Amino acid sequence: MAFRDFPDYRAVARLNALAECPHDLTAPDGLTVERITALRASSCGFDLLYATQRVSDEVMDALQALADEAGLVETFRAMKGGAVLNRIEGFDSENRQVLHTASRDVFAEPPAAPEASARARAELDKLRAFLHDLNRGRLVNAQGKPFTTMVQVGIGGSDLGPRALYLALKAHAVEGRSARFIANVDPDDAAEVLQGLDLSRTLVNIVSKSGTTLETLTNERLVCAALERAGLDPARHLVAVTGEGSPMDDPSRYLRSFHMFDSIGGRYSATSMVGAVTLGFALGMEAVLEILRGAHQMDLAAEEPDIRRNLPLLMALLGIWNHNFLGCRTVAVLPYSQALSRFPAHLQQCDMESNGKSVTRRGEPVRWLTGPVVWGEPGTNGQHAFYQLIHQGTEVVPVEFIGFRRSQYGEDIEVYGTSSQQKLVANMLAQSLALAAGKRDANPNRAFPGNRPNSVLIAERLTPRTMGALLALYEHRIAFQGFCWNINSFDQEGVQLGKVLATQLLAIMADTSLDRSGAGEAGSVAAGLLHRAGML
Amino acid sequence: MAFRDFPDYRAVARLNALAECPHDLTAPDGLTVERITALRASSCGFDLLYATQRVSDEVMDALQALADEAGLVETFRAMKGGAVLNRIEGFDSENRQVLHTASRDVFAEPPAAPEASARARAELDKLRAFLHDLNRGRLVNAQGKPFTTMVQVGIGGSDLGPRALYLALKAHAVEGRSARFIANVDPDDAAEVLQGLDLSRTLVNIVSKSGTTLETLTNERLVCAALERAGLDPARHLVAVTGEGSPMDDPSRYLRSFHMFDSIGGRYSATSMVGAVTLGFALGMEAVLEILRGAHQMDLAAEEPDIRRNLPLLMALLGIWNHNFLGCRTVAVLPYSQALSRFPAHLQQCDMESNGKSVTRRGEPVRWLTGPVVWGEPGTNGQHAFYQLIHQGTEVVPVEFIGFRRSQYGEDIEVYGTSSQQKLVANMLAQSLALAAGKRDANPNRAFPGNRPNSVLIAERLTPRTMGALLALYEHRIAFQGFCWNINSFDQEGVQLGKVLATQLLAIMADTSLDRSGAGEAGSVAAGLLHRAGML
């Protein structure tokens, strides 16, 4: 594959010209029934309504041309097949395959990357056996009682995706089972989680790909100390998920050990054992398989070359239109589903860590915008919080709405003639239209400029399968954008410097202990660090 | 007060010139021990370290001149004294005083706004009596047992601030008491909260200033239905916080009723009864008073005219420097404290709903940037998520770090010679320095551009008093910025259009019910709405 720079595509010049005068959603015929009906795409149970984006047929054609010129779908297929896409040409880099899709390609015969999928199958078999032992009462605590809680200890990719998925699907939990999460090195995080638990009935799942993550190892020790204080043997309560051959890959210390692989980046690892062990404990094996099936279905759908029929590719290109051509600097992901409350936090990692880059795949500085800031909170809550700025602020914020026609628990009430779920969906659609169409008013403070681009992603109900598809949809939207920007979306060198400096600062602290008398001292310590780090 | 437009200040021209060549933090002497020691301000137990901002003495002087020219402190004093600042000159607007400070001016003699503070005192007396009755066993459930949980039902300002404060101070909870929150109209939100509770021991606190908030009234009905299904009498379980004379101001329906007032905006209401009732239940009366004392102390500190000695004013001006002069479009608030996990969500409302505006206080369109997008998650979690983009992305994101020298629970562990709390603080300081100083590297993918502006706000420990001060610090940083941009930070007309459209859409749904067969139908319904709303 010959990767080209973003401005070198002919379609980019065409799109720049079209961006001079984007579709006006506030015009009298800016948003018609025909438009709403036509600008709609469907896949894996999701419909994407994008009439409220500032696109015309010409823009859509140019975006298609961009996708074709840049070979986005070909690169995606190559990724699934095991191409070494995690690299920077000509420089030292991770040099790895990118095979999170192999975790769910276990249903295909043959899979696109047979070796990786075989490894994924082997881990699934270990998980099935583990859950079986728990369900049959073969794996119990010292008193012979079943475990009721699994605490996942991990951070970043070993926390955000699994946590978002657990919260999303908690309504489907196995009776008597639940999960909790500890991530932060802040000791109050662990203290708060542990204080409410019956530790004798708790399994602790330590998750670190490298087996060296400072926060996770520290919290493992903290949890072990709590277990010991409660008179419990950590070895009977801990399981581990780690890379093969990592310092944590020591089955003698854990009840069970599961593996993750170099070809799966942390932020893409929710469908590997990183997510599957805790989700399997709390939701059951079948729910895990359903998540994988949903993701697998979306993995297949992402190979469609027609942008109007490929949801992840379409969302990627609409995002590029808003970001690189219309100049919007952030993206808000606003799920109208309380269960998806932490999905935006997962996407912050998945998107910003993937595409917050400044050099190309050849190591040259980029001369175009790469990944935007991604943020969001569930609606309708956000309507009573930051929507003021989205409607009337000086910053145009593209919005990706996500919603479902039915609730999870089914405990609803009709007030003023409609159910809560209807109110939820009605509010989402109303916001989409309000942002797009705006409103004139003689009182300037009550006028709405409109033309605020957004799209609505809607499915029937949030189930394990829908969740898997949604997760994969965003993974691929992010990857397609990274391909298009000619960056490596799969490394994270930008996290290194802070780590190195923190380690040096801690070395100073270990000698002198943190001076508690004032920030002046903290300042000197920091300055000392700067000095020792050779930066003064 | 004669409000002028932002570009009309002489200091703005000066700052524009200075912004051509901002302080270079990556230069050999860009970040010295002297600079770190000098660029530091202290107030109410907080130190602000701002050596890592791109400011020089000239910039600081020009920012001081801007504060003086714009009369920021005078306007703030006028606000505290009861000036009608919530208005748009010459147009229909809310026309209200802005007196959230009066809620904590109850300790002053005389208070700046005596009437409002007298009202606040009367409500505090009612709260004291209520808590007393609970503590003495005079107010118990039908079985004579004490209440253990308070569920606050509210949304926006009636949810985010109180929830953020409760989570921040949960470590200080009264033995046997806790709080939960229901906000979203999504029925799964209430279902998830209610399913884990012993309703017979639960008080439900319905909070709506207008007494007409759709989500809150719907959730009130949903909770009452759940109480009735459990054989309980809602009238013995509900308390209310609402505006005087609102449709909810009906003491016969509630065990106790508390008032909030027109002069306090929802997003500034955490220190009124909107926050105090639930916080008082869970943390006790003394904690509520401590929050008020901390906020009151910051309210006084914000009257200092010297920007180098006034924390909220200094943070406001540093924010304006980054946003209006250096062109940064967002602000990340990153607390190195798990307890502050929801504080950024509160700030999203407080800041973006206040300053996401496009017309001046005279109703003219602004020709300068107003409020930025505010977002954030706790560190160190964020380091493993979105920090990649902050360090190496194409978008420069100013960061406001917040940290504490000591933990709340005090349950810590020493690993590799340092405690978790030391690791937490070391990481925060390291990130601050890394963002500012950057790093050269022969491998372009491992180079860090630096010059990413940030500041560190640090205090001894997160207590009710510190929390009160921190809350007020941000309230005033936001208000100072709004004054400077010549906008009305205290209304929220931008939330109206979505509400109106949702109501119309719901009217259609109430007739036809939400078609569940596909988004095509939803699209037609939406189109029907657009049609009926006269927007086609």
mmCIF file of all heavy atoms in Angstrom, chain B residues 392-414:
data_model
loop_
_atom_site.group_PDB
_atom_site.id
_atom_site.type_symbol
_atom_site.label_atom_id
_atom_site.label_comp_id
_atom_site.label_asym_id
_atom_site.label_seq_id
_atom_site.Cartn_x
_atom_site.Cartn_y
_atom_site.Cartn_z
ATOM 1 N N GLN B 392 0.479 15.123 21.778
ATOM 2 C CA GLN B 392 0.998 15.063 20.401
ATOM 3 C C GLN B 392 -0.033 15.335 19.313
ATOM 4 O O GLN B 392 0.292 15.196 18.134
ATOM 5 C CB GLN B 392 1.614 13.675 20.143
ATOM 6 C CG GLN B 392 2.935 13.419 20.869
ATOM 7 C CD GLN B 392 3.593 12.130 20.414
ATOM 8 O OE1 GLN B 392 2.915 11.149 20.132
ATOM 9 N NE2 GLN B 392 4.920 12.122 20.340
ATOM 10 N N GLY B 393 -1.256 15.705 19.684
ATOM 11 C CA GLY B 393 -2.271 15.945 18.661
ATOM 12 C C GLY B 393 -2.085 17.283 17.961
ATOM 13 O O GLY B 393 -1.223 18.088 18.324
ATOM 14 N N THR B 394 -2.923 17.521 16.960
ATOM 15 C CA THR B 394 -2.849 18.803 16.240
ATOM 16 C C THR B 394 -3.670 19.883 16.936
ATOM 17 O O THR B 394 -3.631 21.041 16.527
ATOM 18 C CB THR B 394 -3.347 18.648 14.781
ATOM 19 O OG1 THR B 394 -4.626 18.017 14.772
ATOM 20 C CG2 THR B 394 -2.377 17.806 13.976
ATOM 21 N N GLU B 395 -4.419 19.510 17.953
ATOM 22 C CA GLU B 395 -5.255 20.450 18.690
ATOM 23 C C GLU B 395 -4.553 20.768 20.016
ATOM 24 O O GLU B 395 -4.212 19.853 20.758
ATOM 25 C CB GLU B 395 -6.596 19.741 18.975
ATOM 26 C CG GLU B 395 -7.746 20.617 19.324
ATOM 27 C CD GLU B 395 -8.145 21.554 18.206
ATOM 28 O OE1 GLU B 395 -8.007 21.176 17.035
ATOM 29 O OE2 GLU B 395 -8.555 22.682 18.523
ATOM 30 N N VAL B 396 -4.311 22.046 20.302
ATOM 31 C CA VAL B 396 -3.709 22.395 21.591
ATOM 32 C C VAL B 396 -4.822 22.548 22.635
ATOM 33 O O VAL B 396 -5.746 23.337 22.461
ATOM 34 C CB VAL B 396 -2.883 23.691 21.492
ATOM 35 C CG1 VAL B 396 -2.380 24.109 22.867
ATOM 36 C CG2 VAL B 396 -1.711 23.499 20.535
ATOM 37 N N VAL B 397 -4.739 21.754 23.692
ATOM 38 C CA VAL B 397 -5.775 21.732 24.727
ATOM 39 C C VAL B 397 -5.207 22.286 26.041
ATOM 40 O O VAL B 397 -4.387 21.627 26.679
ATOM 41 C CB VAL B 397 -6.266 20.283 24.973
ATOM 42 C CG1 VAL B 397 -7.320 20.254 26.072
ATOM 43 C CG2 VAL B 397 -6.809 19.664 23.692
ATOM 44 N N PRO B 398 -5.608 23.481 26.452
ATOM 45 C CA PRO B 398 -5.159 23.964 27.759
ATOM 46 C C PRO B 398 -5.723 23.068 28.863
ATOM 47 O O PRO B 398 -6.868 22.609 28.770
ATOM 48 C CB PRO B 398 -5.780 25.362 27.860
ATOM 49 C CG PRO B 398 -6.193 25.726 26.477
ATOM 50 C CD PRO B 398 -6.487 24.432 25.780
ATOM 51 N N VAL B 399 -4.899 22.824 29.875
ATOM 52 C CA VAL B 399 -5.323 21.913 30.938
ATOM 53 C C VAL B 399 -5.347 22.629 32.284
ATOM 54 O O VAL B 399 -4.441 23.401 32.604
ATOM 55 C CB VAL B 399 -4.362 20.702 31.029
ATOM 56 C CG1 VAL B 399 -4.728 19.815 32.227
ATOM 57 C CG2 VAL B 399 -4.405 19.882 29.749
ATOM 58 N N GLU B 400 -6.389 22.382 33.057
ATOM 59 C CA GLU B 400 -6.444 22.809 34.445
ATOM 60 C C GLU B 400 -6.367 21.552 35.321
ATOM 61 O O GLU B 400 -7.343 20.813 35.440
ATOM 62 C CB GLU B 400 -7.729 23.604 34.717
ATOM 63 C CG GLU B 400 -7.786 24.893 33.906
ATOM 64 C CD GLU B 400 -9.054 25.717 34.089
ATOM 65 O OE1 GLU B 400 -9.956 25.284 34.822
ATOM 66 O OE2 GLU B 400 -9.139 26.798 33.483
ATOM 67 N N PHE B 401 -5.191 21.307 35.897
ATOM 68 C CA PHE B 401 -5.034 20.167 36.805
ATOM 69 C C PHE B 401 -5.535 20.562 38.203
ATOM 70 O O PHE B 401 -5.381 21.716 38.616
ATOM 71 C CB PHE B 401 -3.559 19.776 36.927
ATOM 72 C CG PHE B 401 -2.977 19.179 35.675
ATOM 73 C CD1 PHE B 401 -2.104 19.920 34.876
ATOM 74 C CD2 PHE B 401 -3.272 17.882 35.294
ATOM 75 C CE1 PHE B 401 -1.539 19.378 33.724
ATOM 76 C CE2 PHE B 401 -2.709 17.335 34.144
ATOM 77 C CZ PHE B 401 -1.848 18.087 33.360
ATOM 78 N N ILE B 402 -6.113 19.603 38.914
ATOM 79 C CA ILE B 402 -6.530 19.823 40.308
ATOM 80 C C ILE B 402 -6.037 18.632 41.125
ATOM 81 O O ILE B 402 -6.270 17.483 40.729
ATOM 82 C CB ILE B 402 -8.068 19.890 40.445
ATOM 83 C CG1 ILE B 402 -8.652 20.967 39.518
ATOM 84 C CG2 ILE B 402 -8.475 20.162 41.897
ATOM 85 C CD1 ILE B 402 -10.193 20.969 39.480
ATOM 86 N N GLY B 403 -5.367 18.885 42.234
ATOM 87 C CA GLY B 403 -4.877 17.760 43.040
ATOM 88 C C GLY B 403 -4.789 18.077 44.521
ATOM 89 O O GLY B 403 -4.964 19.225 44.938
ATOM 90 N N PHE B 404 -4.513 17.038 45.295
ATOM 91 C CA PHE B 404 -4.448 17.156 46.758
ATOM 92 C C PHE B 404 -3.238 16.389 47.271
ATOM 93 O O PHE B 404 -2.898 15.342 46.739
ATOM 94 C CB PHE B 404 -5.731 16.607 47.391
ATOM 95 C CG PHE B 404 -6.944 17.312 46.869
ATOM 96 C CD1 PHE B 404 -7.644 16.807 45.786
ATOM 97 C CD2 PHE B 404 -7.351 18.510 47.431
ATOM 98 C CE1 PHE B 404 -8.743 17.478 45.266
ATOM 99 C CE2 PHE B 404 -8.447 19.194 46.920
ATOM 100 C CZ PHE B 404 -9.142 18.675 45.829
ATOM 101 N N ARG B 405 -2.622 16.928 48.326
ATOM 102 C CA ARG B 405 -1.414 16.280 48.835
ATOM 103 C C ARG B 405 -1.736 15.018 49.629
ATOM 104 O O ARG B 405 -0.944 14.097 49.690
ATOM 105 C CB ARG B 405 -0.616 17.265 49.694
ATOM 106 C CG ARG B 405 -0.067 18.414 48.878
ATOM 107 C CD ARG B 405 0.783 19.376 49.680
ATOM 108 N NE ARG B 405 0.899 20.613 48.905
ATOM 109 C CZ ARG B 405 0.117 21.678 49.052
ATOM 110 N NH1 ARG B 405 -0.809 21.698 50.000
ATOM 111 N NH2 ARG B 405 0.257 22.731 48.274
ATOM 112 N N ARG B 406 -2.926 14.984 50.244
ATOM 113 C CA ARG B 406 -3.301 13.808 51.047
ATOM 114 C C ARG B 406 -4.580 13.182 50.520
ATOM 115 O O ARG B 406 -5.435 13.851 49.958
ATOM 116 C CB ARG B 406 -3.494 14.208 52.506
ATOM 117 C CG ARG B 406 -2.182 14.550 53.219
ATOM 118 C CD ARG B 406 -2.455 15.220 54.551
ATOM 119 N NE ARG B 406 -3.332 14.426 55.395
ATOM 120 C CZ ARG B 406 -4.104 14.934 56.368
ATOM 121 N NH1 ARG B 406 -4.104 16.227 56.619
ATOM 122 N NH2 ARG B 406 -4.861 14.146 57.093
ATOM 123 N N SER B 407 -4.729 11.883 50.759
ATOM 124 C CA SER B 407 -5.931 11.176 50.315
ATOM 125 C C SER B 407 -7.070 11.402 51.307
ATOM 126 O O SER B 407 -6.875 11.963 52.369
ATOM 127 C CB SER B 407 -5.637 9.691 50.166
ATOM 128 O OG SER B 407 -5.448 9.111 51.447
ATOM 129 N N GLN B 408 -8.260 10.947 50.951
ATOM 130 C CA GLN B 408 -9.414 11.101 51.844
ATOM 131 C C GLN B 408 -9.520 9.959 52.850
ATOM 132 O O GLN B 408 -9.702 10.179 54.030
ATOM 133 C CB GLN B 408 -10.702 11.153 51.019
ATOM 134 C CG GLN B 408 -10.880 12.457 50.271
ATOM 135 C CD GLN B 408 -12.258 12.539 49.643
ATOM 136 O OE1 GLN B 408 -12.703 11.612 48.983
ATOM 137 N NE2 GLN B 408 -12.944 13.650 49.857
ATOM 138 N N TYR B 409 -9.450 8.734 52.344
ATOM 139 C CA TYR B 409 -9.660 7.583 53.221
ATOM 140 C C TYR B 409 -8.411 7.268 54.046
ATOM 141 O O TYR B 409 -8.491 6.619 55.080
ATOM 142 C CB TYR B 409 -10.065 6.350 52.405
ATOM 143 C CG TYR B 409 -11.468 6.403 51.851
ATOM 144 C CD1 TYR B 409 -11.714 6.921 50.582
ATOM 145 C CD2 TYR B 409 -12.553 5.939 52.585
ATOM 146 C CE1 TYR B 409 -12.997 6.967 50.061
ATOM 147 C CE2 TYR B 409 -13.846 5.973 52.059
ATOM 148 C CZ TYR B 409 -14.063 6.489 50.796
ATOM 149 O OH TYR B 409 -15.337 6.532 50.281
ATOM 150 N N GLY B 410 -7.250 7.706 53.542
ATOM 151 C CA GLY B 410 -6.015 7.405 54.262
ATOM 152 C C GLY B 410 -5.617 5.939 54.173
ATOM 153 O O GLY B 410 -4.711 5.490 54.868
ATOM 154 N N GLU B 411 -6.282 5.177 53.310
ATOM 155 C CA GLU B 411 -5.902 3.768 53.136
ATOM 156 C C GLU B 411 -4.939 3.679 51.966
ATOM 157 O O GLU B 411 -5.330 3.647 50.817
ATOM 158 C CB GLU B 411 -7.139 2.913 52.878
ATOM 159 C CG GLU B 411 -7.923 2.669 54.139
ATOM 160 C CD GLU B 411 -9.306 2.115 53.867
ATOM 161 O OE1 GLU B 411 -9.477 1.435 52.843
ATOM 162 O OE2 GLU B 411 -10.195 2.384 54.691
ATOM 163 N N ASP B 412 -3.669 3.666 52.297
ATOM 164 C CA ASP B 412 -2.671 3.770 51.244
ATOM 165 C C ASP B 412 -1.669 2.632 51.396
ATOM 166 O O ASP B 412 -1.686 1.889 52.379
ATOM 167 C CB ASP B 412 -1.973 5.134 51.340
ATOM 168 C CG ASP B 412 -1.451 5.603 49.998
ATOM 169 O OD1 ASP B 412 -1.147 4.748 49.151
ATOM 170 O OD2 ASP B 412 -1.347 6.818 49.814
ATOM 171 N N ILE B 413 -0.815 2.500 50.416
ATOM 172 C CA ILE B 413 0.168 1.425 50.456
ATOM 173 C C ILE B 413 1.443 1.922 49.807
ATOM 174 O O ILE B 413 1.400 2.714 48.863
ATOM 175 C CB ILE B 413 -0.370 0.165 49.721
ATOM 176 C CG1 ILE B 413 0.509 -1.037 50.003
ATOM 177 C CG2 ILE B 413 -0.482 0.414 48.230
ATOM 178 C CD1 ILE B 413 -0.110 -2.347 49.515
ATOM 179 N N GLU B 414 2.583 1.512 50.373
ATOM 180 C CA GLU B 414 3.839 1.920 49.771
ATOM 181 C C GLU B 414 4.321 0.816 48.836
ATOM 182 O O GLU B 414 4.473 -0.333 49.245
ATOM 183 C CB GLU B 414 4.870 2.207 50.864
ATOM 184 C CG GLU B 414 5.865 3.253 50.419
ATOM 185 C CD GLU B 414 6.624 3.892 51.576
ATOM 186 O OE1 GLU B 414 6.111 4.819 52.222
ATOM 187 O OE2 GLU B 414 7.756 3.429 51.803
#
